[in-house]
Amino acid sequence: MKRLILAAVLLYCVTLRLGAQQQIRHEFSMGFGVGNNMADKKVNDVVDHYLETYHMESEMGCSDFVGDSHITLSFEYHYRLNQRWAVGCIAGWGISKESYDGIEEHGAAPHSYLAKYGSEQSRIFYIAPSVRYSWLTTMRGHMQLYSRAALGTIRQHMLFDYQQAASDGRLYTAFEDDTQRDEYRHEHFDEVKWRSAYQLTPVGIDLGNRFIHFYSELGYGFQGVFTIGTRFTFP
């Protein structure tokens, strides 16, 4: 009986030892990205056209914290070829949203104005193969510095809605009535486009234990300039 118990304990210790020696191969990550995005150019071109044509400014409302630059949510899988190289895939979504308004005197009648309102929204989806190189590992493997590159495709759905109407000086009441009022005008821009996309990350940092990590990256592309997220690793 004692030999059986001793053998079971020994087998358990060996199993733990072998498990500890197993090399981490699989990574699943989720991260948020902010800052200048490669999809921002289309947004800026469309927004600038409407702002210059109809003389509007950013509304700067509480609901417009996203601004005209995209916020992204990414999901990633990477397979570690060795301690330095990993290959995988990135997929994610992003959104940009902003509102604009303006009001100016219109006509010879007193208290006659032209109210203007515009809203922009851009939604993106991207997917790309990715390769990563870890060029510095310290703190017994608990911290890594790395660089990464990804090349794939992006789908952008760009929307801009513009309205104008005669007003007595109150901006938003001009749009409460039906569309038959004087000087009413409505324009709608709607475009969906696929194109090639990339993400270049000169430097990223990964901190964590064997199975859970936190990371941040600086780069440029479809994820934006600054990315922060969580990474889970498995043998």
Side-chain angles (χ1 to χ4, degrees), residues 54-57 100-106 111-117 162 165-175:
Y54 298 110
H55 308 291
M56 293 184 294
E57 297 180 351
Y100 307 87
D101 58 31
I103 191 166
E104 62 182 31
E105 292 184 358
H106 177 69
H111 306 294
S112 178
Y113 298 90
L114 190 64
K116 311 165 189 179
Y117 178 78
Y162 172 77
S167 170
D168 59 1
R170 293 173 295 174
L171 180 62
Y172 298 105
T173 57
F175 306 107

Side-chain angles (χ1 to χ4, degrees), residues 66-77:
V66 175
D68 57 5
S69 185
H70 292 74
I71 288 181
T72 62
L73 171 63
S74 300
F75 296 92
E76 308 177 20
Y77 168 77

Side-chain angles (χ1 to χ4, degrees), residues 78 81 85-90 128-133 147-151:
H78 284 85
L81 300 175
W85 290 97
V87 296
C89 185
I90 306 171
S130 169
V131 59
R132 189 183 71 221
Y133 177 73
S147 300
R148 190 182 65 175
L151 180 64

Side-chain angles (χ1 to χ4, degrees), residues 16-197:
L16 288 180
R17 182 65 177 176
L18 290 176
Q21 291 176 347
Q22 283 185 319
Q23 186 174 351
I24 295 296
R25 292 291 187 181
H26 306 280
E27 299 180 0
F28 295 93
S29 307
M30 181 183 73
F32 294 92
V34 295
N36 291 337
N37 189 295
M38 64 177 301
D40 292 348
K41 184 180 185 306
K42 182 62 180 180
V43 174
N44 294 334
D45 289 345
V46 173
V47 169
D48 288 347
H49 166 74
Y50 280 94
L51 295 190
E52 293 173 5
T53 302
Y54 298 110
H55 308 291
M56 293 184 294
E57 297 180 351
S58 176
E59 189 180 54
M60 299 300 291
C62 295
S63 62
D64 298 322
F65 67 94
V66 175
D68 57 5
S69 185
H70 292 74
I71 288 181
T72 62
L73 171 63
S74 300
F75 296 92
E76 308 177 20
Y77 168 77
H78 284 85
Y79 179 80
R80 293 185 181 182
L81 300 175
N82 50 48
Q83 291 185 350
R84 293 194 177 275
W85 290 97
V87 296
C89 185
I90 306 171
W93 299 264
I95 187 171
S96 161
K97 186 177 182 181
E98 182 67 283
S99 299
Y100 307 87
D101 58 31
I103 191 166
E104 62 182 31
E105 292 184 358
H106 177 69
H111 306 294
S112 178
Y113 298 90
L114 190 64
K116 311 165 189 179
Y117 178 78
S119 61
E120 164 266 320
Q121 186 177 100
S122 171
R123 299 189 294 268
I124 59 175
F125 167 77
Y126 48 86
I127 185 168
S130 169
V131 59
R132 189 183 71 221
Y133 177 73
S134 300
W135 40 271
L136 180 64
T137 301
T138 62
M139 297 172 58
R140 296 183 179 179
H142 295 306
M143 184 183 81
Q144 285 188 334
L145 298 177
Y146 59 88
S147 300
R148 190 182 65 175
L151 180 64
T153 186
I154 186 172
R155 178 189 185 272
Q156 183 172 16
H157 188 183
M158 177 67 204
L159 299 164
F160 196 98
D161 193 76
Y162 172 77
Q163 298 180 70
Q164 72 177 40
S167 170
D168 59 1
R170 293 173 295 174
L171 180 62
Y172 298 105
T173 57
F175 306 107
E176 292 178 355
D177 299 334
D178 60 36
T179 60
Q180 303 302 316
R181 63 167 45 249
D182 294 340
E183 301 295 341
Y184 183 84
R185 183 172 185 174
H186 184 201
E187 294 184 17
H188 186 68
F189 180 90
D190 189 336
E191 180 184 87
V192 177
K193 191 172 184 179
W194 288 87
R195 63 182 185 276
S196 59

